[in-house]
Amino acid sequence: MDFLIAVAEGFIGMFQAGGDTFVGLVTGIIPLLICLITAVNALIKFIGEERVFAFAQKCTKNIILRYTIFPLMAVFFLTNPMCYTFGRFLPERQKPAFYDASVSFVHPITGLFPHANPAELFVYTGIAAGITQLGLSLGPLAIRFFIVGIIVMLLRGIVTEIISNRMFKNKEREAAEAQAASS
């Protein structure tokens, strides 16, 4: 009988812990996120959407900027999943690499800018809880996470662009061969 009681208490305890976590989010991170989202939207309005878009088109001309600053801006200003719409400024051949770079950055940005991808906060807050229990500051963790995210974003963007270009060229060659064979 004691075993069944322990299982029942453990089962309910799991939901109580979930409820406590939820209350902590409602009183802590959610108001912060609402304020951050409001501030970012206001900043875009102050700058002007046309200027933001003109700047985005200029950024895509350089491969380094295309896979660092451009996805960073997309994730920061539009958040996940709207950030992928920044791909409309890119030629078709660069869209897969932009997506890959952006999707690899939606988690590392959460340490410094949680508004960018609040759905990923559970991962960061889990790591942060361990760091906090050790009595360490979260600032260095967030900055390192952000820097590594930019490096990974750049590498993935460049590699994916190379792979995509090869695939596009193969597809074009196959289409040309098929057309020549049918003629």
Side-chain angles (χ1 to χ4, degrees), residues 92-151:
E92 205 61 37
R93 290 178 177 267
Q94 295 168 350
K95 288 181 181 181
F98 168 75
Y99 174 79
D100 194 15
S102 298
V103 80
S104 68
F105 194 63
V106 295
H107 180 69
I109 197 170
T110 58
L112 292 175
F113 306 106
H115 76 284
N117 193 17
E120 290 288 334
L121 277 174
F122 70 94
V123 175
Y124 181 77
T125 55
I127 296 167
I131 298 295
T132 304
Q133 284 181 348
L134 293 173
L136 301 172
S137 172
L138 292 179
L141 171 69
I143 290 170
R144 287 183 182 114
F145 204 27
F146 188 82
I147 291 169
V148 168
I150 289 175
I151 294 167

Side-chain angles (χ1 to χ4, degrees), residues 32-63:
L32 172 67
L33 292 176
I34 290 170
C35 291
L36 283 169
I37 289 170
T38 303
V40 168
N41 287 334
L43 182 63
I44 291 171
K45 293 295 181 187
F46 288 140
I47 294 171
E49 289 183 37
E50 306 81 30
R51 289 186 186 136
V52 172
F53 291 147
F55 180 74
Q57 287 178 326
K58 288 179 184 175
C59 278
T60 62
K61 293 182 174 145
N62 178 302
I63 194 165

Side-chain angles (χ1 to χ4, degrees), residues 37 40 73-84 115-118:
I37 289 170
V40 168
M73 285 179 17
V75 173
F76 180 82
F77 286 112
L78 297 181
T79 71
N80 187 30
M82 283 297 295
C83 60
Y84 310 121
H115 76 284
N117 193 17

Side-chain angles (χ1 to χ4, degrees), residues 1-6:
M1 189 62 138
D2 291 337
F3 173 74
L4 291 176
I5 292 171

Side-chain angles (χ1 to χ4, degrees), residues 59-68 70-71 90 94 161:
C59 278
T60 62
K61 293 182 174 145
N62 178 302
I63 194 165
I64 304 294
L65 296 178
R66 182 167 51 241
Y67 300 122
T68 56
F70 189 62
L90 295 166
Q94 295 168 350
E161 184 172 317

